[in-house]
Amino acid sequence: MAADDLSGVAALIDSVRRLQACGRKFPRVEYLFTVGEEAGLLGSKAFDTRRLRAKVGYAFDSPGRLGRVVCAAPGQVSLTVEVTGKAAHAGNCPEEGVNAVTALAKILATIRDGRLDPESTANFAVLDCGTKVTNIVQSYAVCRGEMRSRNDAALSAYVEYFEKHCQEAAAGTGAAVTTTVTPQYESFSFDEDAPVIQAALAALRGMGAEAQVNGGGGGMDANVFNAAGIGVVGVATGYSGNHGVSERIVLDDLRRAGELAERIVLAWGDRGGLPE
């Protein structure tokens, strides 16, 4: 299933049909469909935002029931720790080697990860040592992960902790440790009284939907556009369980998501038009 995020694509296409048939005047609307969002917001990062005239927008790409508006999303950094040891024959002379896998295991066994605080998470998911044989003392191992937070100070503090912890945890093993931190995207946050949110809430009220405004834990194209000066928030389309085998969507929410997109555009018309 691809509720995340073909449901958003379906909603926007449906909104085009609805706006063309509504018989009302409405502000100019720009639609942008990006690629590679799940792999790291690659499409939005590559897009030249100067081609857009819009100063506000909505990313129909968030979990939750229809009515949820995502006012904040975390920034993210990629984290890599590489461990270099010394190869040796595992049967003849293991004492001559330095096992990089063992040193990396000590790092990962003691690092703070998972839910760090209400706004922050860390995850280490990709492990590699370049070989599948068991008769050598492994001389190289690498782990790749991430840390994300809606709190920029917490993000910076964890980066400092990560670099220090990797060195300290491997101390005494004889292995050399190298850490790499790569920023991926910046966080964003809006107060509930921001016009971009109020227009969405007006649209939801107009269709009798229960509204909720809160922050999310995942990055989205909105992160990139906000960093470029375009105020974009997330909009839920009714899916849940995304990134897992239990992904599902509420069909009534999917059917109404296009109406919500239409009503958001019309709400801006009622407010006097979109900001230029």
Side-chain angles (χ1 to χ4, degrees), residues 69-73 188-192 197 213-216 220 232-234:
V69 180
V70 180
C71 63
F188 73 84
S189 180
F190 289 90
D191 293 330
E192 189 169 330
I197 293 178
V213 179
N214 51 44
M220 53 183 145
V232 180
V233 296

Side-chain angles (χ1 to χ4, degrees), residues 59-109:
F60 276 63
D61 180 19
S62 294
R65 293 297 305 272
L66 188 80
R68 181 182 182 224
V69 180
V70 180
C71 63
Q76 180 185 313
V77 293
S78 294
L79 305 171
T80 301
V81 52
E82 296 179 278
V83 181
T84 303
K86 181 182 178 183
H89 193 287
N92 291 335
C93 52
E95 61 278 350
E96 295 181 8
V98 176
N99 196 324
V101 174
T102 300
L104 179 58
K106 290 184 176 182
I107 293 171
L108 296 179

Side-chain angles (χ1 to χ4, degrees), residues 14 35 50 57 66 72 95 112 114 117 125 140 142 147 168 186 192 201 207-208 215 224 229 237 248 254 273:
D14 185 40
V35 299
R50 293 174 298 181
L66 188 80
E95 61 278 350
R112 292 191 291 115
D117 62 53
Y140 177 79
V142 61
M147 191 273 182
E168 291 180 346
E186 299 176 17
E192 189 169 330
L201 295 181
M207 58 193 300
V224 175
T237 56
R248 55 198 177 275
L254 175 62

Side-chain angles (χ1 to χ4, degrees), residues 3-273:
D4 178 14
D5 182 43
L6 287 182
S7 59
V9 173
L12 297 188
I13 293 175
D14 185 40
S15 74
V16 173
R17 176 186 63 81
R18 288 175 172 276
L19 286 167
Q20 290 176 331
C22 74
R24 293 177 54 182
K25 291 184 177 181
F26 54 86
R28 172 188 47 79
V29 186
E30 295 175 321
Y31 289 85
L32 178 61
F33 298 91
T34 62
V35 299
E37 190 269 344
E38 292 291 359
L41 315 186
L42 302 181
S44 55
K45 287 179 180 178
F47 181 76
D48 183 1
T49 56
R50 293 174 298 181
R51 298 178 60 185
L52 296 174
R53 291 172 57 191
K55 297 302 180 185
V56 295
Y58 299 85
F60 276 63
D61 180 19
S62 294
R65 293 297 305 272
L66 188 80
R68 181 182 182 224
V69 180
V70 180
C71 63
Q76 180 185 313
V77 293
S78 294
L79 305 171
T80 301
V81 52
E82 296 179 278
V83 181
T84 303
K86 181 182 178 183
H89 193 287
N92 291 335
C93 52
E95 61 278 350
E96 295 181 8
V98 176
N99 196 324
V101 174
T102 300
L104 179 58
K106 290 184 176 182
I107 293 171
L108 296 179
T110 52
I111 199 166
R112 292 191 291 115
D113 64 351
R115 173 68 63 185
L116 304 174
D117 62 53
E119 297 182 303
S120 310
T121 62
N123 186 53
F124 296 90
V126 180
L127 300 170
D128 188 22
C129 61
T131 182
K132 297 180 180 180
V133 299
T134 62
N135 65 344
I136 63 170
V137 176
Q138 185 54 250
S139 63
Y140 177 79
V142 61
C143 178
R144 297 180 178 86
E146 63 165 49
M147 191 273 182
R148 59 180 73 192
S149 180
R150 298 197 299 268
N151 184 317
D152 292 339
L155 192 65
S156 297
Y158 189 86
V159 166
E160 183 178 346
Y161 158 77
F162 164 74
E163 295 174 328
K164 182 179 180 181
H165 171 81
C166 290
Q167 297 294 336
E168 291 180 346
T173 65
V177 175
T178 301
T179 55
T180 304
V181 177
T182 306
Q184 292 298 328
Y185 48 82
E186 299 176 17
S187 65
F188 73 84
S189 180
F190 289 90
D191 293 330
E192 189 169 330
D193 60 0
V196 67
I197 293 178
Q198 286 300 309
L201 295 181
L204 288 165
R205 287 193 296 269
M207 58 193 300
E210 182 178 351
Q212 56 173 312
V213 179
N214 51 44
M220 53 183 145
D221 288 332
N223 292 73
V224 175
F225 296 126
N226 278 292
I230 304 171
V232 180
V233 296
V235 176
T237 56
Y239 64 77
S240 60
N242 49 316
H243 295 203
V245 296
S246 62
E247 185 184 42
R248 55 198 177 275
I249 192 167
V250 178
L251 290 180
D252 188 56
D253 287 0
L254 175 62
R255 284 190 288 264
R256 302 183 73 193
E259 178 188 354
L260 175 57
E262 173 200 17
R263 285 180 176 272
I264 287 175
V265 173
L266 296 177
W268 277 105
D270 294 339
R271 297 173 65 92

